[in-house]
Amino acid sequence: NERKELERIIKSRREDREREAKVKRMLNELDKKEREKEALQRKIELQNQEEWVYVEGIKGMTEDMKGYDNFQFEVGKTYIKDGLIEICKNGFHLSLNLEDVLHHYGICKGNRFFKVRALVRKKDLDEYGTITEVDNFFYGKQKIIKNKLVSKEIEILEELSDEELFEEYKKMKSGKSRWIEDIDDFKYCRKHGENKLAEDKLNVKLI
């Protein structure tokens, strides 16, 4: 009986230590989350103190007018994002010209393009078009062009027609399709895709 009592006491103390360790882990996790919350709030406050400016640009969307993270847009509406605005993380994206938008949304993939007015950081706007170096896990250091902006407020003004898109498309210095020669080719590509356009043109040449 004395042995059993000693074993019970040892077991009880071990369980107490385990409970104590668990409580400490929970408290540490809470402290960590609180510190992260405070740090995030400080970043948001500092960001809000920066200079923000309105710009007009172009935003690409899917055929059903969805953007990053399947966010649903409508023409004529204004949208606002709270929290820390970070590119590819939180905010509404846009570019200043069609050529830059097409790095993210293909012209012949059923996508739609809209004129927008957005509130962006002046610092980001000043750096637009500049080249920066980033670390890529697979390819090492890479140079990329800053060709999109992230905003905390965006207004969807109107959709660009095929004719308007084609006028912008003709101004592009790179990224053009070798198969698009005129507005009819452009519209066909928009509807059926570049591969179908190329196939049809090659078939015509073979006849």
Side-chain angles (χ1 to χ4, degrees):
N1 289 338
E2 184 176 353
R3 181 183 180 85
K4 287 182 178 180
E5 179 63 18
L6 288 172
E7 289 176 346
R8 185 192 67 77
I9 292 173
I10 292 171
K11 181 180 179 182
S12 176
R13 288 178 177 176
R14 183 170 61 248
E15 290 174 347
D16 287 342
R17 288 195 298 271
E18 289 174 351
R19 279 194 293 269
E20 183 180 355
K22 184 177 180 180
V23 169
K24 284 183 178 179
R25 287 196 299 271
M26 291 173 66
L27 287 172
N28 287 336
E29 188 63 29
L30 286 173
D31 288 342
K32 180 183 177 183
K33 288 182 178 179
E34 190 63 33
R35 289 194 300 271
E36 289 175 347
K37 184 179 178 180
E38 291 174 357
L40 176 61
Q41 189 58 41
R42 285 196 297 271
K43 286 182 178 179
I44 293 173
E45 290 172 359
L46 288 172
Q47 189 177 75
N48 288 336
Q49 293 172 14
E50 295 185 63
E51 185 177 359
W52 293 73
V53 295
Y54 282 99
V55 297
E56 290 195 355
I58 300 175
K59 179 167 182 60
M61 301 182 199
T62 60
E63 192 171 9
D64 53 359
M65 287 191 69
K66 289 183 179 179
Y68 176 76
D69 202 24
N70 282 325
F71 189 94
Q72 183 69 61
F73 293 95
E74 290 182 39
V75 172
K77 289 193 174 183
T78 298
Y79 302 90
I80 297 173
K81 274 284 187 180
D82 296 321
L84 186 66
I85 304 303
E86 293 184 279
I87 201 159
C88 296
K89 292 183 180 180
N90 184 48
F92 304 110
H93 298 90
L94 67 146
S95 294
L96 298 184
N97 56 68
L98 182 64
E99 186 170 352
D100 287 342
V101 176
L102 294 184
H103 283 91
H104 312 284
Y105 286 86
I107 196 72
C108 297
K109 295 181 180 178
N111 295 317
R112 298 162 69 182
F113 302 87
F114 297 80
K115 291 180 181 178
V116 297
R117 183 172 183 264
L119 185 59
V120 303
R121 291 197 309 170
K122 186 177 184 302
K123 177 185 176 184
D124 293 338
L125 182 61
D126 291 341
E127 293 176 353
Y128 189 91
T130 61
I131 297 175
T132 185
E133 195 170 65
V134 297
D135 286 321
N136 184 291
F137 180 80
F138 296 102
Y139 306 107
K141 290 189 180 297
Q142 285 188 308
K143 291 183 178 180
I144 61 170
I145 298 176
K146 293 185 177 181
N147 58 14
K148 67 178 176 180
L149 296 166
V150 62
S151 65
K152 63 179 178 181
E153 177 185 322
I154 193 166
E155 179 183 4
I156 313 301
L157 300 174
E158 62 178 317
E159 184 171 7
L160 288 165
S161 66
D162 282 346
E163 288 74 18
E164 290 173 309
L165 284 171
F166 185 60
E167 288 303 311
E168 291 295 318
Y169 181 83
K170 289 191 295 185
K171 299 175 188 176
M172 289 170 46
K173 296 177 182 178
S174 63
K176 293 181 181 179
S177 168
R178 59 177 291 196
W179 305 106
I180 296 177
E181 299 176 7
D182 53 36
I183 183 63
D184 292 331
D185 289 342
F186 186 79
K187 288 182 176 181
Y188 191 89
C189 181
R190 293 271 295 143
K191 185 176 181 179
H192 301 286
E194 186 176 8
N195 289 339
K196 178 62 175 171
L197 174 63
E199 180 184 334
D200 289 354
K201 286 208 166 194
L202 286 172
N203 286 338
V204 169
K205 288 182 179 180
L206 291 173
I207 294 174

PDB file of all heavy atoms in Angstrom, residues 12-39:
ATOM      1  N   SER A  12       1.127  11.913  -9.884  1.00  0.00           N
ATOM      2  CA  SER A  12       0.393  13.158  -9.734  1.00  0.00           C
ATOM      3  C   SER A  12       1.302  14.356  -9.967  1.00  0.00           C
ATOM      4  O   SER A  12       0.915  15.319 -10.636  1.00  0.00           O
ATOM      5  CB  SER A  12      -0.216  13.229  -8.327  1.00  0.00           C
ATOM      6  OG  SER A  12      -0.864  14.460  -8.128  1.00  0.00           O
ATOM      7  N   ARG A  13       2.524  14.294  -9.438  1.00  0.00           N
ATOM      8  CA  ARG A  13       3.471  15.389  -9.619  1.00  0.00           C
ATOM      9  C   ARG A  13       3.893  15.517 -11.088  1.00  0.00           C
ATOM     10  O   ARG A  13       4.057  16.636 -11.599  1.00  0.00           O
ATOM     11  CB  ARG A  13       4.697  15.172  -8.737  1.00  0.00           C
ATOM     12  CG  ARG A  13       4.418  15.390  -7.244  1.00  0.00           C
ATOM     13  CD  ARG A  13       5.638  15.130  -6.413  1.00  0.00           C
ATOM     14  NE  ARG A  13       5.368  15.402  -4.994  1.00  0.00           N
ATOM     15  CZ  ARG A  13       6.250  15.181  -4.009  1.00  0.00           C
ATOM     16  NH1 ARG A  13       7.456  14.690  -4.306  1.00  0.00           N
ATOM     17  NH2 ARG A  13       5.928  15.461  -2.772  1.00  0.00           N
ATOM     18  N   ARG A  14       4.057  14.357 -11.747  1.00  0.00           N
ATOM     19  CA  ARG A  14       4.418  14.386 -13.162  1.00  0.00           C
ATOM     20  C   ARG A  14       3.305  15.025 -13.986  1.00  0.00           C
ATOM     21  O   ARG A  14       3.559  15.833 -14.880  1.00  0.00           O
ATOM     22  CB  ARG A  14       4.704  12.970 -13.657  1.00  0.00           C
ATOM     23  CG  ARG A  14       5.159  12.943 -15.130  1.00  0.00           C
ATOM     24  CD  ARG A  14       5.671  11.582 -15.553  1.00  0.00           C
ATOM     25  NE  ARG A  14       4.663  10.561 -15.441  1.00  0.00           N
ATOM     26  CZ  ARG A  14       4.687   9.557 -14.569  1.00  0.00           C
ATOM     27  NH1 ARG A  14       5.706   9.449 -13.710  1.00  0.00           N
ATOM     28  NH2 ARG A  14       3.716   8.657 -14.519  1.00  0.00           N
ATOM     29  N   GLU A  15       2.072  14.676 -13.652  1.00  0.00           N
ATOM     30  CA  GLU A  15       0.936  15.260 -14.358  1.00  0.00           C
ATOM     31  C   GLU A  15       0.840  16.759 -14.100  1.00  0.00           C
ATOM     32  O   GLU A  15       0.493  17.539 -14.996  1.00  0.00           O
ATOM     33  CB  GLU A  15      -0.351  14.555 -13.931  1.00  0.00           C
ATOM     34  CG  GLU A  15      -0.455  13.124 -14.452  1.00  0.00           C
ATOM     35  CD  GLU A  15      -1.665  12.391 -13.897  1.00  0.00           C
ATOM     36  OE1 GLU A  15      -2.267  12.919 -12.929  1.00  0.00           O
ATOM     37  OE2 GLU A  15      -1.993  11.304 -14.411  1.00  0.00           O
ATOM     38  N   ASP A  16       1.174  17.148 -12.861  1.00  0.00           N
ATOM     39  CA  ASP A  16       1.165  18.579 -12.537  1.00  0.00           C
ATOM     40  C   ASP A  16       2.207  19.332 -13.373  1.00  0.00           C
ATOM     41  O   ASP A  16       1.939  20.438 -13.863  1.00  0.00           O
ATOM     42  CB  ASP A  16       1.454  18.791 -11.046  1.00  0.00           C
ATOM     43  CG  ASP A  16       0.275  18.385 -10.158  1.00  0.00           C
ATOM     44  OD1 ASP A  16      -0.847  18.271 -10.696  1.00  0.00           O
ATOM     45  OD2 ASP A  16       0.481  18.180  -8.946  1.00  0.00           O
ATOM     46  N   ARG A  17       3.384  18.727 -13.506  1.00  0.00           N
ATOM     47  CA  ARG A  17       4.442  19.357 -14.299  1.00  0.00           C
ATOM     48  C   ARG A  17       4.036  19.465 -15.763  1.00  0.00           C
ATOM     49  O   ARG A  17       4.319  20.464 -16.436  1.00  0.00           O
ATOM     50  CB  ARG A  17       5.754  18.568 -14.157  1.00  0.00           C
ATOM     51  CG  ARG A  17       6.433  18.711 -12.804  1.00  0.00           C
ATOM     52  CD  ARG A  17       7.871  18.217 -12.843  1.00  0.00           C
ATOM     53  NE  ARG A  17       7.958  16.809 -13.179  1.00  0.00           N
ATOM     54  CZ  ARG A  17       7.928  15.817 -12.273  1.00  0.00           C
ATOM     55  NH1 ARG A  17       7.805  16.099 -10.980  1.00  0.00           N
ATOM     56  NH2 ARG A  17       8.019  14.559 -12.662  1.00  0.00           N
ATOM     57  N   GLU A  18       3.378  18.416 -16.260  1.00  0.00           N
ATOM     58  CA  GLU A  18       2.938  18.425 -17.657  1.00  0.00           C
ATOM     59  C   GLU A  18       1.876  19.495 -17.875  1.00  0.00           C
ATOM     60  O   GLU A  18       1.895  20.206 -18.894  1.00  0.00           O
ATOM     61  CB  GLU A  18       2.387  17.051 -18.035  1.00  0.00           C
ATOM     62  CG  GLU A  18       3.469  15.978 -18.148  1.00  0.00           C
ATOM     63  CD  GLU A  18       2.896  14.593 -18.390  1.00  0.00           C
ATOM     64  OE1 GLU A  18       1.646  14.460 -18.297  1.00  0.00           O
ATOM     65  OE2 GLU A  18       3.681  13.657 -18.635  1.00  0.00           O
ATOM     66  N   ARG A  19       0.949  19.613 -16.910  1.00  0.00           N
ATOM     67  CA  ARG A  19      -0.081  20.652 -17.010  1.00  0.00           C
ATOM     68  C   ARG A  19       0.555  22.040 -16.955  1.00  0.00           C
ATOM     69  O   ARG A  19       0.174  22.949 -17.692  1.00  0.00           O
ATOM     70  CB  ARG A  19      -1.111  20.484 -15.887  1.00  0.00           C
ATOM     71  CG  ARG A  19      -2.161  19.421 -16.164  1.00  0.00           C
ATOM     72  CD  ARG A  19      -3.315  19.542 -15.200  1.00  0.00           C
ATOM     73  NE  ARG A  19      -2.913  19.216 -13.847  1.00  0.00           N
ATOM     74  CZ  ARG A  19      -2.978  18.004 -13.313  1.00  0.00           C
ATOM     75  NH1 ARG A  19      -3.439  17.002 -14.044  1.00  0.00           N
ATOM     76  NH2 ARG A  19      -2.594  17.787 -12.074  1.00  0.00           N
ATOM     77  N   GLU A  20       1.541  22.184 -16.071  1.00  0.00           N
ATOM     78  CA  GLU A  20       2.225  23.464 -15.940  1.00  0.00           C
ATOM     79  C   GLU A  20       2.951  23.829 -17.231  1.00  0.00           C
ATOM     80  O   GLU A  20       2.903  24.978 -17.691  1.00  0.00           O
ATOM     81  CB  GLU A  20       3.221  23.410 -14.784  1.00  0.00           C
ATOM     82  CG  GLU A  20       3.931  24.731 -14.532  1.00  0.00           C
ATOM     83  CD  GLU A  20       4.923  24.637 -13.379  1.00  0.00           C
ATOM     84  OE1 GLU A  20       4.995  23.578 -12.725  1.00  0.00           O
ATOM     85  OE2 GLU A  20       5.636  25.635 -13.150  1.00  0.00           O
ATOM     86  N   ALA A  21       3.615  22.825 -17.841  1.00  0.00           N
ATOM     87  CA  ALA A  21       4.324  23.068 -19.096  1.00  0.00           C
ATOM     88  C   ALA A  21       3.340  23.434 -20.204  1.00  0.00           C
ATOM     89  O   ALA A  21       3.612  24.317 -21.034  1.00  0.00           O
ATOM     90  CB  ALA A  21       5.123  21.827 -19.486  1.00  0.00           C
ATOM     91  N   LYS A  22       2.190  22.785 -20.213  1.00  0.00           N
ATOM     92  CA  LYS A  22       1.168  23.071 -21.223  1.00  0.00           C
ATOM     93  C   LYS A  22       0.635  24.492 -21.075  1.00  0.00           C
ATOM     94  O   LYS A  22       0.464  25.216 -22.062  1.00  0.00           O
ATOM     95  CB  LYS A  22       0.024  22.059 -21.100  1.00  0.00           C
ATOM     96  CG  LYS A  22      -1.037  22.219 -22.174  1.00  0.00           C
ATOM     97  CD  LYS A  22      -2.111  21.147 -22.034  1.00  0.00           C
ATOM     98  CE  LYS A  22      -3.174  21.317 -23.122  1.00  0.00           C
ATOM     99  NZ  LYS A  22      -4.229  20.267 -22.991  1.00  0.00           N
ATOM    100  N   VAL A  23       0.387  24.884 -19.821  1.00  0.00           N
ATOM    101  CA  VAL A  23      -0.103  26.241 -19.559  1.00  0.00           C
ATOM    102  C   VAL A  23       0.935  27.271 -19.992  1.00  0.00           C
ATOM    103  O   VAL A  23       0.597  28.303 -20.590  1.00  0.00           O
ATOM    104  CB  VAL A  23      -0.449  26.416 -18.058  1.00  0.00           C
ATOM    105  CG1 VAL A  23      -0.703  27.888 -17.742  1.00  0.00           C
ATOM    106  CG2 VAL A  23      -1.654  25.576 -17.694  1.00  0.00           C
ATOM    107  N   LYS A  24       2.216  26.994 -19.711  1.00  0.00           N
ATOM    108  CA  LYS A  24       3.283  27.907 -20.115  1.00  0.00           C
ATOM    109  C   LYS A  24       3.348  28.052 -21.627  1.00  0.00           C
ATOM    110  O   LYS A  24       3.530  29.157 -22.158  1.00  0.00           O
ATOM    111  CB  LYS A  24       4.630  27.415 -19.578  1.00  0.00           C
ATOM    112  CG  LYS A  24       4.843  27.662 -18.091  1.00  0.00           C
ATOM    113  CD  LYS A  24       6.214  27.206 -17.649  1.00  0.00           C
ATOM    114  CE  LYS A  24       6.444  27.506 -16.176  1.00  0.00           C
ATOM    115  NZ  LYS A  24       7.788  27.035 -15.717  1.00  0.00           N
ATOM    116  N   ARG A  25       3.191  26.926 -22.351  1.00  0.00           N
ATOM    117  CA  ARG A  25       3.197  26.973 -23.815  1.00  0.00           C
ATOM    118  C   ARG A  25       2.026  27.808 -24.330  1.00  0.00           C
ATOM    119  O   ARG A  25       2.175  28.602 -25.274  1.00  0.00           O
ATOM    120  CB  ARG A  25       3.133  25.562 -24.394  1.00  0.00           C
ATOM    121  CG  ARG A  25       4.420  24.762 -24.266  1.00  0.00           C
ATOM    122  CD  ARG A  25       4.415  23.548 -25.181  1.00  0.00           C
ATOM    123  NE  ARG A  25       3.340  22.628 -24.864  1.00  0.00           N
ATOM    124  CZ  ARG A  25       3.432  21.635 -23.980  1.00  0.00           C
ATOM    125  NH1 ARG A  25       4.574  21.445 -23.314  1.00  0.00           N
ATOM    126  NH2 ARG A  25       2.407  20.833 -23.765  1.00  0.00           N
ATOM    127  N   MET A  26       0.868  27.639 -23.717  1.00  0.00           N
ATOM    128  CA  MET A  26      -0.313  28.397 -24.122  1.00  0.00           C
ATOM    129  C   MET A  26      -0.122  29.891 -23.863  1.00  0.00           C
ATOM    130  O   MET A  26      -0.470  30.730 -24.699  1.00  0.00           O
ATOM    131  CB  MET A  26      -1.543  27.886 -23.366  1.00  0.00           C
ATOM    132  CG  MET A  26      -1.971  26.479 -23.774  1.00  0.00           C
ATOM    133  SD  MET A  26      -3.302  25.813 -22.741  1.00  0.00           S
ATOM    134  CE  MET A  26      -4.644  26.921 -23.172  1.00  0.00           C
ATOM    135  N   LEU A  27       0.474  30.224 -22.716  1.00  0.00           N
ATOM    136  CA  LEU A  27       0.733  31.630 -22.394  1.00  0.00           C
ATOM    137  C   LEU A  27       1.745  32.242 -23.355  1.00  0.00           C
ATOM    138  O   LEU A  27       1.590  33.389 -23.796  1.00  0.00           O
ATOM    139  CB  LEU A  27       1.228  31.746 -20.949  1.00  0.00           C
ATOM    140  CG  LEU A  27       0.164  31.520 -19.858  1.00  0.00           C
ATOM    141  CD1 LEU A  27       0.822  31.474 -18.483  1.00  0.00           C
ATOM    142  CD2 LEU A  27      -0.896  32.607 -19.905  1.00  0.00           C
ATOM    143  N   ASN A  28       2.784  31.455 -23.683  1.00  0.00           N
ATOM    144  CA  ASN A  28       3.798  31.936 -24.633  1.00  0.00           C
ATOM    145  C   ASN A  28       3.184  32.188 -26.014  1.00  0.00           C
ATOM    146  O   ASN A  28       3.524  33.162 -26.683  1.00  0.00           O
ATOM    147  CB  ASN A  28       4.942  30.928 -24.749  1.00  0.00           C
ATOM    148  CG  ASN A  28       5.828  30.907 -23.523  1.00  0.00           C
ATOM    149  OD1 ASN A  28       5.891  31.884 -22.778  1.00  0.00           O
ATOM    150  ND2 ASN A  28       6.508  29.794 -23.289  1.00  0.00           N
ATOM    151  N   GLU A  29       2.281  31.288 -26.410  1.00  0.00           N
ATOM    152  CA  GLU A  29       1.621  31.437 -27.702  1.00  0.00           C
ATOM    153  C   GLU A  29       0.725  32.674 -27.715  1.00  0.00           C
ATOM    154  O   GLU A  29       0.682  33.413 -28.701  1.00  0.00           O
ATOM    155  CB  GLU A  29       0.788  30.182 -28.009  1.00  0.00           C
ATOM    156  CG  GLU A  29       0.214  30.127 -29.406  1.00  0.00           C
ATOM    157  CD  GLU A  29       1.272  30.092 -30.485  1.00  0.00           C
ATOM    158  OE1 GLU A  29       2.372  29.577 -30.234  1.00  0.00           O
ATOM    159  OE2 GLU A  29       0.976  30.586 -31.594  1.00  0.00           O
ATOM    160  N   LEU A  30       0.033  32.900 -26.601  1.00  0.00           N
ATOM    161  CA  LEU A  30      -0.812  34.090 -26.498  1.00  0.00           C
ATOM    162  C   LEU A  30       0.026  35.363 -26.532  1.00  0.00           C
ATOM    163  O   LEU A  30      -0.340  36.349 -27.179  1.00  0.00           O
ATOM    164  CB  LEU A  30      -1.637  34.037 -25.204  1.00  0.00           C
ATOM    165  CG  LEU A  30      -2.805  33.038 -25.189  1.00  0.00           C
ATOM    166  CD1 LEU A  30      -3.414  32.963 -23.794  1.00  0.00           C
ATOM    167  CD2 LEU A  30      -3.873  33.447 -26.201  1.00  0.00           C
ATOM    168  N   ASP A  31       1.162  35.333 -25.814  1.00  0.00           N
ATOM    169  CA  ASP A  31       2.068  36.484 -25.806  1.00  0.00           C
ATOM    170  C   ASP A  31       2.594  36.759 -27.214  1.00  0.00           C
ATOM    171  O   ASP A  31       2.687  37.914 -27.648  1.00  0.00           O
ATOM    172  CB  ASP A  31       3.249  36.241 -24.856  1.00  0.00           C
ATOM    173  CG  ASP A  31       2.832  36.308 -23.397  1.00  0.00           C
ATOM    174  OD1 ASP A  31       1.756  36.861 -23.118  1.00  0.00           O
ATOM    175  OD2 ASP A  31       3.571  35.797 -22.544  1.00  0.00           O
ATOM    176  N   LYS A  32       2.936  35.682 -27.939  1.00  0.00           N
ATOM    177  CA  LYS A  32       3.449  35.820 -29.295  1.00  0.00           C
ATOM    178  C   LYS A  32       2.406  36.449 -30.215  1.00  0.00           C
ATOM    179  O   LYS A  32       2.703  37.367 -30.989  1.00  0.00           O
ATOM    180  CB  LYS A  32       3.871  34.453 -29.843  1.00  0.00           C
ATOM    181  CG  LYS A  32       4.427  34.493 -31.253  1.00  0.00           C
ATOM    182  CD  LYS A  32       4.757  33.093 -31.747  1.00  0.00           C
ATOM    183  CE  LYS A  32       5.247  33.125 -33.186  1.00  0.00           C
ATOM    184  NZ  LYS A  32       5.502  31.751 -33.707  1.00  0.00           N
ATOM    185  N   LYS A  33       1.163  35.964 -30.109  1.00  0.00           N
ATOM    186  CA  LYS A  33       0.089  36.495 -30.938  1.00  0.00           C
ATOM    187  C   LYS A  33      -0.188  37.950 -30.606  1.00  0.00           C
ATOM    188  O   LYS A  33      -0.462  38.763 -31.496  1.00  0.00           O
ATOM    189  CB  LYS A  33      -1.183  35.661 -30.755  1.00  0.00           C
ATOM    190  CG  LYS A  33      -1.110  34.284 -31.393  1.00  0.00           C
ATOM    191  CD  LYS A  33      -2.410  33.521 -31.211  1.00  0.00           C
ATOM    192  CE  LYS A  33      -2.335  32.152 -31.893  1.00  0.00           C
ATOM    193  NZ  LYS A  33      -3.597  31.386 -31.703  1.00  0.00           N
ATOM    194  N   GLU A  34      -0.108  38.292 -29.321  1.00  0.00           N
ATOM    195  CA  GLU A  34      -0.339  39.670 -28.904  1.00  0.00           C
ATOM    196  C   GLU A  34       0.752  40.593 -29.438  1.00  0.00           C
ATOM    197  O   GLU A  34       0.473  41.706 -29.902  1.00  0.00           O
ATOM    198  CB  GLU A  34      -0.392  39.739 -27.371  1.00  0.00           C
ATOM    199  CG  GLU A  34      -0.870  41.071 -26.830  1.00  0.00           C
ATOM    200  CD  GLU A  34      -2.289  41.399 -27.240  1.00  0.00           C
ATOM    201  OE1 GLU A  34      -3.099  40.465 -27.381  1.00  0.00           O
ATOM    202  OE2 GLU A  34      -2.565  42.597 -27.430  1.00  0.00           O
ATOM    203  N   ARG A  35       2.006  40.111 -29.383  1.00  0.00           N
ATOM    204  CA  ARG A  35       3.119  40.906 -29.914  1.00  0.00           C
ATOM    205  C   ARG A  35       2.976  41.098 -31.422  1.00  0.00           C
ATOM    206  O   ARG A  35       3.234  42.184 -31.953  1.00  0.00           O
ATOM    207  CB  ARG A  35       4.459  40.232 -29.586  1.00  0.00           C
ATOM    208  CG  ARG A  35       4.852  40.286 -28.123  1.00  0.00           C
ATOM    209  CD  ARG A  35       6.314  39.928 -27.928  1.00  0.00           C
ATOM    210  NE  ARG A  35       6.619  38.590 -28.408  1.00  0.00           N
ATOM    211  CZ  ARG A  35       6.521  37.489 -27.677  1.00  0.00           C
ATOM    212  NH1 ARG A  35       6.129  37.566 -26.398  1.00  0.00           N
ATOM    213  NH2 ARG A  35       6.813  36.306 -28.176  1.00  0.00           N
ATOM    214  N   GLU A  36       2.583  40.027 -32.125  1.00  0.00           N
ATOM    215  CA  GLU A  36       2.394  40.112 -33.571  1.00  0.00           C
ATOM    216  C   GLU A  36       1.260  41.077 -33.912  1.00  0.00           C
ATOM    217  O   GLU A  36       1.356  41.842 -34.876  1.00  0.00           O
ATOM    218  CB  GLU A  36       2.086  38.720 -34.139  1.00  0.00           C
ATOM    219  CG  GLU A  36       3.276  37.773 -34.120  1.00  0.00           C
ATOM    220  CD  GLU A  36       2.924  36.377 -34.578  1.00  0.00           C
ATOM    221  OE1 GLU A  36       1.690  36.080 -34.672  1.00  0.00           O
ATOM    222  OE2 GLU A  36       3.837  35.569 -34.833  1.00  0.00           O
ATOM    223  N   LYS A  37       0.203  41.044 -33.105  1.00  0.00           N
ATOM    224  CA  LYS A  37      -0.930  41.944 -33.317  1.00  0.00           C
ATOM    225  C   LYS A  37      -0.509  43.394 -33.121  1.00  0.00           C
ATOM    226  O   LYS A  37      -0.870  44.275 -33.909  1.00  0.00           O
ATOM    227  CB  LYS A  37      -2.058  41.578 -32.351  1.00  0.00           C
ATOM    228  CG  LYS A  37      -3.322  42.382 -32.549  1.00  0.00           C
ATOM    229  CD  LYS A  37      -4.402  41.927 -31.570  1.00  0.00           C
ATOM    230  CE  LYS A  37      -5.663  42.770 -31.740  1.00  0.00           C
ATOM    231  NZ  LYS A  37      -6.735  42.344 -30.781  1.00  0.00           N
ATOM    232  N   GLU A  38       0.272  43.637 -32.067  1.00  0.00           N
ATOM    233  CA  GLU A  38       0.746  44.997 -31.792  1.00  0.00           C
ATOM    234  C   GLU A  38       1.694  45.481 -32.890  1.00  0.00           C
ATOM    235  O   GLU A  38       1.634  46.646 -33.309  1.00  0.00           O
ATOM    236  CB  GLU A  38       1.445  45.036 -30.431  1.00  0.00           C
ATOM    237  CG  GLU A  38       0.488  44.848 -29.248  1.00  0.00           C
ATOM    238  CD  GLU A  38       1.226  44.755 -27.930  1.00  0.00           C
ATOM    239  OE1 GLU A  38       2.491  44.775 -27.954  1.00  0.00           O
ATOM    240  OE2 GLU A  38       0.571  44.659 -26.875  1.00  0.00           O
ATOM    241  N   ALA A  39       2.575  44.577 -33.360  1.00  0.00           N
ATOM    242  CA  ALA A  39       3.521  44.938 -34.423  1.00  0.00           C
ATOM    243  C   ALA A  39       2.777  45.266 -35.716  1.00  0.00           C
ATOM    244  O   ALA A  39       3.118  46.220 -36.424  1.00  0.00           O
ATOM    245  CB  ALA A  39       4.510  43.802 -34.655  1.00  0.00           C
TER     246      ALA A  39
END
